[in-house]
Structure formats: C-alpha cells, structure tokens
Amino acid sequence: MPCSEKRARLLLERGRARLHRVVPFVIRLIDREADRCTLQPLRVKLDPGSRTTGLALMRETESVEPDTGEVLPGAAVLQLLELAHRGHAISDALTARRAMRRRRRGHLRHRAPRFLNRRRAKGWLPPSLQHRVHTSLAWVQRLQRWAPVTALSSELVRFDLQAIQNPEIAGVEYQQGTLAGYETREYLLEKWDRTCAYCGAQNVPLQIEHIQPRARGGSDRVSNLTLACACCNQKKGAQPIEAFLAKDPQRLRRLLAQAQRPLKDAAAVNATRWALAQALKATGLPVELASGGRTKFNRQQLKIPKTHALDAVCVGEVNAVTGWRRPTLVVKCTGRGSYQRTRLNQFGFPRGYLMRTKRVQGFGTGDRVQAIVPTGKKVGRYTGRVAVRATGSFNIQTGSEVVQGISHRHCRLIQRSDGYGYFQQQSLTRKEAGEGRAKRTMRSASPA
Ligand SMILES: [Zn+2]
C-alpha cells in the first residue's frame, strides 16, 4: 500500500523493508504478509492521448456532506505519471526504412511484381498506435504489481452521445445546462473540425452558433448548431444563414450538408482508445469508461489546472479530490536501442557501423548510473541515464545537462534500462495553477 516518504524512510532504516526499485521508488515489506484489512481500494485512471498519456494512482475515499449527511465518493491522489509516447519516432523510422529499401530494390526490374499477397490480422493497428496501447497497458500492469489496484478508469470518447441526445438518462449532472453542455461542445468541436464554419479560422476561441438564429425560430438541436469565431458570430447576428452567406454559395451548401450529417461513428472515432479499452478490460479488473466532456466538467468543477496527469485524475465519476498538488513523474518511452547495426546516409548507403553487442563493461545505453569522479576536469557526482561507447568513455544525461567523457571506472549501476527515461516534474505552483484557470474561457457551470 503506497505510503508517505517519511514512513518509507523509517521502514528502510529499521530494516523492515527492502528497496525494490529506485525510479519510481518502490519498497517491499519483509516482516508482514499482505493482509486484506490494511489495504484500501486503489484505482488507476488513464487519459489516453496521442503524444502523452496521463496516469494517476488514486485511493478511493468517502466524505460526508456536512449539511445533508450524504456520503459522497472522493479520491486522494497518490501518484501522478505522464507517459510520453514515441509513436512519431516509430513511424519516422519505418518510413525511412521503407524508403531505403525501395531505393535499393529499384533496379530489380526482372522480378515479377508481388502484390495482393499481404494480409492484416483483425484488429491490426499501425505500429506507432499499437505502441501506445502496449506502453499504456504495461504501466497499468506495473502499477498493479506494485500496489493493490482494484479498479481502472479510462477516457474512451471525447463526448458521450447519449448525454446529448437523451439528456434525462441518469444523474443530476446529465441534465441540461451542466454536463450536457460540455458533451455538446466536445461533439461540435469534433464535428466541425475545430474550425470557424463561416471563415475557416483555426486555433481561435470558438463560440457555439445557431445556424438558423433562435430569433427566427431556429431550434437548439445539435443539427442547428455550429462553431464560429467571435468576429463571424458578431457579424452574422440574427441574419438568416442564406442572407449571411449569400456571397459564398459554395460554403453555404457545404455548411448545410455538414449540419445535417450526424457524426455517425462518433463513438468509434478513435480506434486506439477502443483497443486500449479492450486491453484494460482483459486485465480482469472493473473498468470505468468515461467521456472527455465529463473530464472537462470535473476539472472545472474541482478547479484543477490542465495537465495530462491531472486530466487523468478528473476522468470518470469523481466528486472531491485531495492531494493533487504533487510532483509528476514524467516517463519517456525511449525504446531499447536500434536493431539495425548499420548507420545509413540519406541515400541508403552504409555510413558507419554500431557495435555488435550493446553492452560495454557491464553498462548499456539507458541504464541509470551514478558516477563519482574524484579528480580532473569533470570532478563531481553525476546521476542519470548513461549512453555507452565502445571506448568505455560514457556520456551521462542528468536532469539538466549531458556530461561527456566519463570513464566506466567511475560509474556505479543504480537501475537497469527498461526502455523508459524518467524525470520528475515539480507540481504547479499556486500562481501557475491560478493562471491556468484564468486562461480558460470558463462558462458558468453551477452544480444542479
Ligand atoms: Zn470566423
């Protein structure tokens, strides 16, 4: 069961625990068997993203509302993680390899063309996307090994279509004006591609806009809503759409067609998230799947700033959160080096060769080492990720710099490479958190 730093220190000092792992810091009790009564229910929450996935380990708590005596579920944050994926690196490497091979095989004109002889397995994802599923799942499984995780939560879709179409389904938050507004907004952003429908502006604050103005009998239905920048919204005012876009009949036709087209497979927009959800279900733990609209709603209700890890905290049903002002451990997927031993130039010809073995003097690139240099120009103590060279003169990446030319004789292994790089990110200061809140355009969302 995760404990405080002080407690961990005392357990180690008194010989009651062993060090299991340095980063993330994990200890193992040796004088006690796990017994169910000292364990509390823990939940791992995920906010899957294309570049970064936020993970949060939370302890589930209960708080009693002083006025009504109602018991509300809450959560205490125990660990925040940000998993930085390398999908782009994978995709770039495969594209480069394909181009090199194509170039080298260009002269094989005598060979009969081979095509239509490739098959993809059902549920196949491109390697860069499959990697996201694999690494996210790997971290869920790691947390499961280190702590008594009893449940999982993940964000599945950006918006909950049910909450928009049928706002009465369940719970107060689903009623018009609170959660429904958030879901509608996310839905419209997806449907209109985060673009102003009238001028095509992107990366500007967008407002929800009635295509047929309400003043002229236009409805509040999703099919009558679009997004417009502040400028266009103002200019259009209460004009009918046909009058406003009279000079641009092409855009008008496209807009009206788009408005009528429902976002059909809205739920299946993101195949990777579905694949991850299936993988999470396969762990056997209860999985709560939530929408991005709810995450945003929770974040604004709880007044939590936006980071990947804190978004994970806000996934799913959560009424109160404590302890979220803590450092985030950034976990960067680095891979385990290249399989290819030949370095190529831009034309695909050999430029140089890597060592046949990946280890030098017992060290491998990616290992976490501590080097104590007693004399010379580099005198000092360095801790970080090592990059090995055949000469035995290594580079060490510390949190702030790369120290070059450290002899293997001064290095001591702390933790073997596991395909990830780690560094701590300090918690947001009060000021940063406050600014983060102020920047967002927050619509008044009072609890119903
Ligand atoms: Zn505009």
Side-chain angles (χ1 to χ4, degrees), residues 341 353-365 386-395 406-408:
R341 298 283 86 187
Y353 300 92
L354 298 176
M355 289 175 285
R356 292 216 71 95
T357 54
K358 284 187 181 175
R359 304 214 149 262
V360 176
Q361 306 286 349
F363 296 95
T365 296
V386 75
V388 300
R389 281 199 226 124
T391 55
S393 162
F394 299 162
N395 293 350
I406 303 288
S407 168
H408 69 88

Side-chain angles (χ1 to χ4, degrees), residues 20 24 107 186 212 223 281 335 391 408:
H20 182 73
H107 347 263
E186 291 297 314
Q212 293 301 347
S223 58
K281 278 181 188 159
T391 55
H408 69 88

Side-chain angles (χ1 to χ4, degrees), residues 3 5 77-80 310 323-328 425-428:
C3 65
E5 286 89 340
V77 180
L78 298 174
Q79 175 81 52
L80 295 175
L310 290 175
W324 56 266
R325 280 198 180 81
R326 54 173 18 264
T328 304
Q425 200 170 59
Q426 287 314 304
S427 58
L428 295 173

Side-chain angles (χ1 to χ4, degrees), residues 133-357:
V133 178
H134 281 159
T135 45
S136 306
L137 188 67
W139 272 89
V140 170
Q141 286 169 343
R142 282 181 157 196
L143 292 171
Q144 239 183 311
R145 280 204 299 276
W146 297 333
V149 176
T150 54
L152 306 172
S153 296
S154 176
E155 195 179 294
L156 180 63
V157 285
R158 296 242 150 119
F159 43 83
D160 186 345
L161 209 56
Q162 280 221 297
I164 301 173
Q165 289 174 341
N166 185 7
E168 302 291 326
I169 42 176
V172 254
E173 310 90 68
Y174 269 123
Q175 279 164 28
Q176 206 66 39
T178 55
L179 194 58
Y182 286 82
E183 304 290 359
T184 310
R185 186 165 275 260
E186 291 297 314
Y187 175 86
L188 289 172
L189 284 170
E190 193 78 28
K191 179 172 175 182
W192 296 96
D193 206 13
R194 292 165 200 270
T195 315
C196 170
Y198 300 142
C199 70
Q202 282 186 323
N203 300 321
V204 290
L206 295 169
Q207 299 171 347
I208 293 182
E209 153 78 16
H210 289 77
I211 296 174
Q212 293 301 347
R214 249 185 313 191
R216 291 175 186 269
S219 76
D220 276 336
R221 291 174 65 97
V222 179
S223 58
N224 191 38
L225 297 178
T226 183
L227 295 169
C229 65
C231 184
C232 292
N233 196 350
Q234 192 108 64
K235 239 189 285 172
K236 178 166 178 278
Q239 290 180 61
I241 182 75
E242 290 79 12
F244 179 66
L245 286 177
K247 284 183 187 157
D248 194 348
Q250 208 181 352
R251 186 181 285 275
L252 174 67
R253 201 152 12 94
R254 220 168 38 210
L255 188 143
L256 291 178
Q258 176 73 4
Q260 284 310 315
R261 195 178 306 139
L263 200 47
K264 259 208 194 99
D265 44 359
V269 164
N270 199 329
T272 317
R273 288 177 176 220
W274 273 93
L276 179 61
Q278 293 307 317
L280 292 177
K281 278 181 188 159
T283 59
L285 293 176
V287 182
E288 175 195 30
L289 295 172
S291 75
R294 180 179 272 276
T295 305
K296 196 167 175 180
F297 172 79
N298 287 340
R299 193 175 69 226
Q300 299 196 350
Q301 292 285 295
L302 300 167
K303 295 193 169 46
I304 291 179
K306 181 168 172 58
T307 72
H308 292 290
L310 290 175
D311 261 0
V313 168
C314 297
V315 164
E317 200 161 326
V318 57
N319 292 301
V321 174
T322 55
W324 56 266
R325 280 198 180 81
R326 54 173 18 264
T328 304
L329 180 68
V330 178
V331 180
K332 195 167 177 291
C333 299
T334 55
R336 292 162 193 269
S338 171
Y339 177 73
Q340 196 179 35
R341 298 283 86 187
T342 309
R343 287 256 188 253
L344 302 174
N345 66 13
Q346 55 175 322
F347 306 108
F349 290 104
R351 171 165 71 86
Y353 300 92
L354 298 176
M355 289 175 285
R356 292 216 71 95
T357 54

Side-chain angles (χ1 to χ4, degrees), residues 70 93 424:
E70 198 183 352
Q424 286 279 342

